[in-house]
Amino acid sequence: MPGFPDDMPFFDEDDAPHGVPSRPAAPAAGASSGGSGIAARAMAARQGSGSAPDYLSGLNPEQRLAVETTEGPVLVLAGAGTGKTRVLTTRIAHILATGRAWPSQILAVTFTNKAAREMKSRIGHLVGEAIEGMPWLGTFHSIGVKLLRRHAELAGLRSDFTILDTDDVTRLIRQLIQAEGLDDKRWAPRTFAQMIDGWKNKGLGPAEIPEGDARAFANGKGRELYAAYQERLKTLNACDFGDLLLHPIRIFRQHHDVLAEYHKKFKYILVDEYQDTNTAQYMWLRLLAQRPKTSSAVQAAEGRARDRAPGDFSPAPAAVTRSEAERTNQETAQPPQAAERPASENKPTQQINICCVGDDDQSIYGWRGAEVDNILRFEKDFPGATVIRLERNYRSTAHILGAASHLIAHNEGRLGKTLFTDRPDADDAKVNVHAAWDSDEEARAVGEEIESLQRKGHALNDMAILVRASFQMRSFEDRFIEIGLNYRVIGGPRFYERQEIRDALAYLRVVAQGADDLAFERIVNVPKRGLGEATISQIHATARALGSPMLEAAANLAESDELKPKPRAALREIAANFARWQGLIDTTPHAELAETILEESGYTDMWKNDRSAEAPGRLENLKELIRSMEEYESLRSFLEHVALVMDAEQNEGMDAVSIMTLHSAKGLEFETVFLPGWEEGLFPHQRALDEGGRSGLEEERRLAYVGLTRAKKNLHLWFVSNRRIHGLWQSTIPSRFLDELPEAHVEVAEGGNSYGGYGNPYGGSSFASGRGGFSAGRQNPYGASRFDSVGSPSGARAARGDQSGSGGGAFSNTYATPGWQRAQQNRTEATSRNWGTRSGHQVERIGYGEVDSGYGAGRGSVKGRVIDGELVAKSVADTPSPFAVGDRVFHQKFGNGNIAAIEGNKLTIDFDRAGQKKVLDGFVTGV
DNA sequence: GGCGGGCCTCTTTTT
DNA sequence: GAGGCCCGCC
């Protein structure tokens, strides 16, 4: 290798202190010289144990192949629960233990912080405590930050740049839109922020975005705005999430010496969840993984790029050169260009060994720009790649696996894997499907099931509730608080997004990085200092005139006579405070400094003087914030953590049920999993269908697959007949995904028998008793309870059967149930209609809001949603309650009473004997 | 400049 | 239903 002798490893500063041997491939030397090298230690352990090292034992042949095929490109297609993480971590351990590379020569990328943490700790278990020596294990974004901090000047930033979160970005864009004289209501800043994010996911800078996209926003000013946004970021010495990838990409392209440095450095690259990489991440990886054969080839390749976009050397707003972006978009079907092909064909010792692990069936981030294509074309990108399939599932029972496999088989365009398990299924429970009346009952029933399991000795930590959308979490939280059940919300309402935390962070950001105008603006008048809009726009103007950050402008302004005495004094004080705090940054421990700042700024006092109910909690949170800062070595690393991680790890020690979205559940597993909300419109989500059509549906199905495969032993699916969406009740029908489950592995676990009678909280005994109400001649207001007897004679039978209490439910499987049949029937009906067309497909577009209008107005109207000629969802609009306030009614359990209030189909009734109860109108009859 | 009430929009998923 | 924003009043 001309120029870069390969036997001169590039060491990180992290490793530098140790007396490292010159060649990592000589582990024995490391051991004898007493180096703290992880390889040395692992080798020692290995030698002690004789033949195959411990860490390899217990791997199946495919896993072992994936671990031991260290050289050349490797793609591991790992189905759910097939030991993917184990393979990744063992592979790293193997590379280290056999002295193939030093920890700092391994680049291991994950998507989430959780996954990174998990990998770190598992590698730690495998090879001892040398994990601090894996400086390049992290998320795409955290590694991006690390790269960018090292080379910030090449991107026109200082190394202390700030990372903006979505909220900051939105505010910034709002300012820009307003500065353009545009209406920020017509052109929502959030929408534009999402557009920019989308472009960045594709690796597009302002110059490269499609003309159509550019025109679509702000009267054709999309491109301008994007460019202005990038400019603004630069003056703020800040970047957004997308920049964390795009800046390094551009740096690599424009400074081949920098890229070569990393080519020399990283001998092994490992990528987790490869199916979720987006175009920008793909470009980033490819730059790092495909080392040109010679350095002149690097120059040639980069020169080519530069020729096409001359002058892009300066950190212009263009994030990547146009030519590069275009090429990537066009080359999907072509093999990579010669210069970029991995060198593997010639000299195995010089290649960079990339190993990607993924599962196309678990690709659930298409909406975020992920390109499943990346995994599908791996073999084209890396000729000669070894492809290894992991199909033996170690996680779930045969029933769960059978259900999941059957479901996912409905998708087209898969690489095709068949999961199998050796587990006998004799004693395992089938997948249970439950129906509930509404989300409250769903939460109540799930809570009771959890408590019942708990009584049987199951730990709450082994249970999880995985929801499609975060709003679903609330009913569970409410219920669990009520019954005193420990739970933990993962990725829920975030600690760092609370007002007081963001305010405090804003102070810290200004201290750490004086150019952070967004942070400055946030707190300049918090607590109130009498600095209103007038003063602030004056600061703005001065900042513009001086070309300086607002803080500096404020300091200047305070010394001038342009302001009235009051604001002038206030500004002077702020400026002096910040100057003082900034002076303390190197001498005071950062947690202490933070406390000082919050005290001296009057921020803590502000909440102390606040008489509102939340104030004490906010003070508590601030204390917690300061406590958590102590774990970080510097203010800057703390702020970086906050920007990237954005979730506070909460009381890990406690035994608690986990509640999280399906997206954040990926990679996790639990004994018992509850999957509520399997209703059309929610799951599959209407918006995914509207915006993604067929592929959107398939992504939803993959999401369902992810959910199902999280369960090891018990899996409970739920759907409700009524769900409150946007504050209004809506009838729902069961998700088509339920239909797609195989009968053999599924059973309906129903009603008031097994779990102590939650079946019908309003009526008392079961759904069946509720039917009594309908027999009085009412139309069934809900479309799809499988206990719905309307329109199906067998339904009445079934309902009676349930009432008789057959434990596991009245139906041997889901599909014989009347409600099911009715749902099917509804579909057929709706499919036969023509709902108008959109882009050639039959589409009836009904947002939730529109359906809502049917409440009370669209009496009895029935609409269907059709996409690609298939019925997608159907909503039976609610029939208004037939009762009126004051009506005298009879309830089977509570007896006679008067209606006190009506809320949708929920009645508040003052019963003569039972007192006031809330009851659904289906369960009472007029007297 | 501050504060309160009312109106409006938006609620899929995340680094 | 819920939070954010705007407007109008003090």
Side-chain angles (χ1 to χ4, degrees):
Chain A
M1 183 74 155
F4 313 117
D6 212 39
D7 57 356
M8 215 176 87
F10 185 103
F11 288 109
D12 251 322
E13 59 281 359
D14 313 63
D15 292 309
H18 314 307
V20 290
S22 65
R23 259 190 102 87
S32 61
S33 70
S36 71
I38 179 175
R41 212 171 313 143
M43 278 307 280
R46 177 182 170 177
Q47 279 153 7
S49 72
S51 55
D54 286 349
Y55 57 82
L56 289 179
S57 65
L59 295 180
N60 68 32
E62 297 78 36
Q63 290 176 328
R64 192 158 169 172
L65 186 64
V67 167
E68 292 188 316
T69 311
T70 52
E71 310 308 303
V74 176
L75 174 65
V76 181
L77 292 171
T82 54
K84 179 192 63 157
T85 310
R86 182 161 184 204
V87 163
L88 268 177
T89 52
T90 312
R91 185 181 164 92
I92 291 174
H94 184 66
I95 289 166
L96 296 173
T98 53
R100 285 179 164 80
W102 290 98
S104 61
Q105 294 173 319
I106 299 175
L107 172 66
V109 230
T110 64
F111 272 81
T112 63
N113 298 292
K114 227 179 349 181
R117 246 180 283 139
E118 166 92 2
M119 269 179 69
K120 269 197 176 148
S121 90
R122 283 173 72 164
I123 296 170
H125 281 118
L126 284 173
V127 278
E129 69 276 24
I131 285 312
E132 315 84 64
M134 289 235 12
W136 298 98
L137 189 166
T139 62
F140 276 103
H141 292 87
S142 67
I143 290 171
V145 176
K146 190 160 180 168
L147 292 170
L148 194 50
R149 293 245 188 253
R150 294 182 154 202
H151 307 287
E153 75 289 352
L154 299 179
L157 296 168
R158 296 196 309 272
S159 70
D160 64 348
F161 61 84
T162 305
I163 303 161
L164 302 183
D165 65 24
T166 31
D167 191 73
D168 295 320
V169 168
T170 308
R171 282 192 298 145
L172 203 162
I173 289 173
R174 169 167 291 121
Q175 291 177 358
L176 292 169
I177 288 176
Q178 286 167 348
E180 279 288 326
L182 295 161
D183 179 4
D184 65 358
K185 285 201 191 105
R186 170 77 183 81
W187 306 106
R190 268 192 52 202
T191 310
F192 193 63
Q194 284 161 7
M195 288 175 77
I196 289 182
D197 193 51
W199 291 324
K200 290 190 171 179
N201 284 336
K202 292 190 180 129
L204 304 173
E208 299 118 27
I209 60 173
E211 193 55 33
D213 281 13
R215 286 185 188 285
F217 197 83
N219 303 327
K221 290 186 178 168
R223 194 188 305 280
E224 261 175 271
L225 274 175
Y226 183 10
Y229 169 75
Q230 290 302 121
E231 264 317 303
R232 191 88 182 89
L233 286 183
K234 210 167 57 171
T235 57
L236 290 175
N237 188 31
C239 61
D240 61 19
F241 281 123
D243 287 344
L244 297 180
L245 284 169
L246 289 192
H247 282 319
I249 287 175
R250 200 178 64 234
I251 290 169
F252 288 157
R253 290 201 167 130
Q254 297 177 352
H255 304 272
H256 60 264
D257 51 323
V258 175
L259 181 60
E261 177 188 321
Y262 290 100
H263 279 161
K264 201 165 64 162
K265 178 182 193 55
F266 298 133
K267 298 200 160 166
Y268 291 90
I269 299 179
L270 294 93
V271 188
D272 192 15
E273 309 281 16
Y274 189 59
Q275 77 281 355
D276 286 334
T277 47
N278 61 36
T279 303
Q281 288 158 339
Y282 171 79
M283 291 168 156
W284 186 92
L285 272 177
R286 219 183 46 177
L287 281 164
L288 284 170
Q290 298 189 336
R291 173 160 49 181
K293 282 179 199 163
T294 63
S295 55
S296 58
V298 178
Q299 280 167 353
E302 294 306 315
R304 222 177 32 240
R306 223 175 301 148
D307 288 345
R308 292 184 214 177
D312 200 25
F313 225 93
S314 65
V320 285
T321 63
R322 166 173 232 159
S323 52
E324 281 295 307
E326 278 172 0
R327 207 180 69 214
T328 303
N329 290 337
Q330 288 165 1
E331 73 182 359
T332 322
Q334 303 156 12
Q337 304 187 14
E340 294 176 325
R341 219 172 270 150
S344 56
E345 305 102 300
N346 304 332
K347 292 180 93 184
T349 51
Q350 291 186 8
Q351 73 201 347
I352 294 158
N353 301 294
I354 186 167
C355 172
C356 295
V357 181
D359 179 0
D360 53 315
D361 288 336
Q362 293 189 65
S363 158
I364 55 175
Y365 285 105
W367 54 273
R368 204 171 80 187
E371 297 280 349
V372 203
D373 257 16
N374 292 346
I375 196 169
L376 301 177
R377 69 172 189 232
F378 186 87
E379 291 176 80
K380 272 187 215 146
D381 288 342
F382 300 95
T386 311
V387 178
I388 299 166
R389 283 183 154 75
L390 304 181
E391 298 177 308
R392 180 186 298 263
N393 178 289
Y394 293 96
R395 181 184 293 153
S396 311
T397 66
H399 286 312
I400 291 169
L401 221 49
S405 302
H406 199 271
L407 177 90
I408 198 65
H410 288 80
N411 273 2
E412 292 165 9
R414 305 167 58 217
L415 287 175
K417 287 181 307 305
T418 314
L419 293 181
F420 66 93
T421 177
D422 294 336
R423 284 169 74 129
D425 63 354
D427 299 326
D428 292 328
K430 290 191 175 183
V431 175
N432 283 313
V433 177
H434 307 251
W437 174 256
D438 61 14
S439 48
D440 290 344
E441 190 203 319
E442 183 182 56
R444 189 181 304 115
V446 169
E448 280 171 31
E449 172 72 7
I450 289 170
E451 289 186 315
S452 149
L453 286 166
Q454 199 182 16
R455 280 193 296 274
K456 290 180 199 155
H458 296 258
L460 295 178
N461 280 334
D462 292 334
M463 306 177 213
I465 298 167
L466 312 181
V467 298
R468 174 63 183 87
S470 44
F471 77 84
Q472 290 173 264
M473 293 179 178
R474 224 193 110 172
S475 55
F476 291 98
E477 288 192 69
D478 286 352
R479 180 64 189 164
F480 295 170
I481 287 167
E482 206 178 319
I483 62 176
L485 186 66
N486 282 348
Y487 69 89
R488 101 172 43 89
V489 170
I490 295 174
R494 298 172 186 196
F495 183 71
Y496 293 118
E497 284 174 12
R498 291 165 208 228
Q499 181 192 339
E500 66 277 16
I501 300 301
R502 296 188 59 97
D503 288 343
L505 290 173
Y507 273 101
L508 298 176
R509 275 165 54 181
V510 176
V511 171
Q513 210 267 100
D516 194 338
D517 287 357
L518 287 166
F520 179 79
E521 245 182 295
R522 183 183 177 96
I523 46 79
V524 66
N525 198 30
V526 181
K528 298 271 183 278
R529 300 186 174 96
L531 298 168
E533 204 186 326
T535 316
I536 289 171
S537 56
Q538 220 168 333
I539 299 174
H540 263 143
T542 311
R544 256 197 310 276
L546 295 172
S548 73
M550 286 177 78
L551 175 58
E552 212 172 296
N556 274 303
L557 212 48
E559 299 310 321
S560 74
D561 54 359
E562 290 172 47
L563 292 169
K564 296 211 171 77
K566 225 180 110 185
R568 187 161 66 190
L571 273 193
R572 185 177 291 160
E573 193 191 336
I574 288 186
N577 276 344
F578 275 111
R580 190 174 63 254
W581 295 327
Q582 284 169 343
L584 290 173
I585 202 164
D586 292 321
T587 53
T588 316
H590 53 282
E592 201 177 297
L593 176 63
E595 209 168 353
T596 308
I597 293 170
L598 295 183
E599 284 297 329
E600 294 183 358
S601 63
Y603 191 75
T604 327
D605 284 341
M606 178 182 102
W607 288 116
K608 281 183 184 155
N609 297 330
D610 189 310
R611 291 285 143 242
S612 70
E614 307 91 67
R618 295 188 195 274
L619 285 165
E620 218 20 72
N621 290 337
L622 290 171
K623 275 190 203 148
E624 175 59 34
L625 179 76
I626 288 168
R627 249 201 310 277
S628 70
M629 286 179 71
E630 289 166 4
E631 295 165 29
Y632 299 86
E633 58 189 32
S634 68
L635 180 59
R636 204 172 82 177
S637 72
F638 170 74
L639 290 174
E640 187 169 300
H641 167 89
V642 170
L644 288 177
V645 178
M646 268 323 231
D647 63 344
E649 294 118 63
Q650 28 181 346
N651 34 9
E652 300 269 322
M654 135 183 123
D655 188 35
V657 181
S658 300
I659 306 176
M660 67 188 98
T661 62
L662 286 161
H663 283 89
S664 45
K666 192 161 70 160
L668 305 179
E669 58 178 31
F670 301 90
E671 295 281 297
T672 303
V673 168
F674 297 90
L675 300 174
W678 282 48
E679 299 121 36
E680 286 295 309
L682 177 58
F683 195 29
H685 199 279
Q686 188 57 44
R687 204 150 144 187
L689 301 175
D690 288 347
E691 289 169 9
R694 170 115 219 149
S695 69
L697 172 62
E698 295 213 338
E699 180 153 318
E700 294 288 291
R701 193 177 281 116
R702 290 193 292 270
L703 195 53
Y705 174 79
V706 167
L708 297 174
T709 51
R710 296 312 94 196
K712 289 153 101 172
K713 285 191 179 148
N714 305 306
L715 183 53
H716 297 274
L717 314 187
W718 286 84
F719 69 91
V720 304
S721 306
N722 296 280
R723 191 170 287 282
R724 204 209 306 251
I725 293 167
H726 310 164
L728 289 161
W729 288 97
Q730 222 194 294
S731 287
T732 50
I733 64 167
S735 168
R736 75 189 69 190
F737 295 153
L738 291 170
D739 271 328
E740 294 173 359
L741 299 173
E743 295 190 34
H745 298 296
V746 176
E747 72 185 1
V748 177
E750 208 42 78
N753 304 308
S754 28
Y755 311 136
Y758 61 77
N760 180 359
Y762 305 106
S765 57
S766 75
F767 274 97
S769 71
R771 292 309 145 233
F774 300 119
S775 64
R778 260 194 88 237
Q779 260 244 310
N780 181 358
Y782 43 92
S785 162
R786 68 163 59 70
F787 286 82
D788 185 346
S789 61
V790 176
S792 168
S794 68
R797 207 171 56 235
R800 278 193 302 277
D802 178 63
Q803 212 167 15
S804 73
S806 53
F811 307 102
S812 60
N813 68 61
T814 313
Y815 309 95
T817 64
W820 214 271
Q821 289 166 359
R822 181 182 156 137
Q824 296 286 5
Q825 193 187 332
N826 284 343
R827 276 182 205 183
T828 321
E829 279 168 15
T831 315
S832 66
R833 298 173 203 208
N834 189 345
W835 294 108
T837 55
R838 189 179 59 158
S839 49
H841 302 305
Q842 290 187 311
V843 172
E844 163 73 331
R845 190 177 179 141
I846 306 177
Y848 285 135
E850 296 165 71
V851 173
D852 289 340
S853 64
Y855 200 82
R859 175 179 296 249
S861 75
V862 176
K863 293 178 176 179
R865 305 170 198 173
V866 181
I867 282 178
D868 289 353
E870 276 185 282
L871 185 82
V872 159
K874 180 173 174 311
S875 171
V876 180
D878 295 308
T879 310
S881 174
F883 301 105
V885 173
D887 281 4
R888 185 87 176 148
V889 293
F890 172 77
H891 185 279
Q892 278 205 331
K893 186 173 174 190
F894 302 123
N896 288 314
N898 295 314
I899 296 178
I902 299 178
E903 185 198 346
N905 46 9
K906 274 189 172 173
L907 310 176
T908 306
I909 301 176
D910 289 315
F911 287 103
D912 300 347
R913 278 170 293 141
Q916 193 176 80
K917 302 271 183 207
K918 283 201 171 176
V919 166
L920 287 164
D921 61 6
F923 298 111
V924 300
T925 45
V927 175

